[in-house]
Amino acid sequence: VELVESGGGLVQPGGSLSLSCTISGGSFTDFAMGWFRQTPGKEREFVAAINRFGLTVNFGDSVKDRFAISRDNTKEVLYLQMNRLNPEDTAVYYCVAVSRGGFAYYTEESAYEHWGQGAQVTVSA
């Protein structure tokens, strides 16, 4: 199973950016998915999670009310819409996935089996 992120880049403070993630080597709806981020010298941080069917979501406290997670199971794409970005959002963002039955989402790093290579998001004037 391979996860591939796209859409990272440079954005000014207050701006918006969207990330996408696709899966190859597995059936998209088998996977609960999410996003984590990491800045050099800091621990990896939970950003957002979504269940297999897109019915339930959860967000880290630092991004709540600014970020949105969604998935299109027809197109087999996971999205992270990031709004009102600030320099503290600068990080490498990782798409994650775990193949489990049921309707749960997962917020713990240890729950995820598969990780993407990461997409750099830089918020700077």
Side-chain angles (χ1 to χ4, degrees), residues 7-107:
L10 174 65
V11 63
Q12 292 188 343
S16 299
L17 200 63
S18 179
L19 299 177
S20 301
C21 175
T22 58
I23 291 180
S24 61
S27 178
F28 192 74
T29 53
D30 284 347
F31 297 94
M33 301 184 72
W35 296 92
F36 283 77
R37 67 185 184 185
Q38 189 167 26
T39 301
K42 294 186 178 180
E43 292 187 356
R44 204 167 284 173
E45 178 187 9
F46 168 70
V47 175
I50 189 167
N51 78 344
R52 295 166 59 207
F53 305 104
L55 299 176
T56 54
V57 299
N58 199 356
F59 297 93
D61 288 341
S62 62
V63 306
K64 202 172 295 185
D65 299 326
R66 298 188 298 122
F67 288 15
I69 185 172
S70 62
R71 61 190 294 163
D72 186 327
N73 285 352
T74 299
K75 296 180 179 178
E76 299 189 347
V77 183
L78 174 74
Y79 301 99
L80 182 69
Q81 177 64 41
M82 302 178 288
N83 301 316
R84 304 200 311 275
L85 286 159
N86 58 63
E88 289 70 40
D89 295 314
T90 296
V92 176
Y93 285 71
Y94 296 92
C95 174
V96 295
V98 57
S99 177
R100 294 184 186 177
F103 299 90
Y105 58 76
Y106 303 93
T107 61

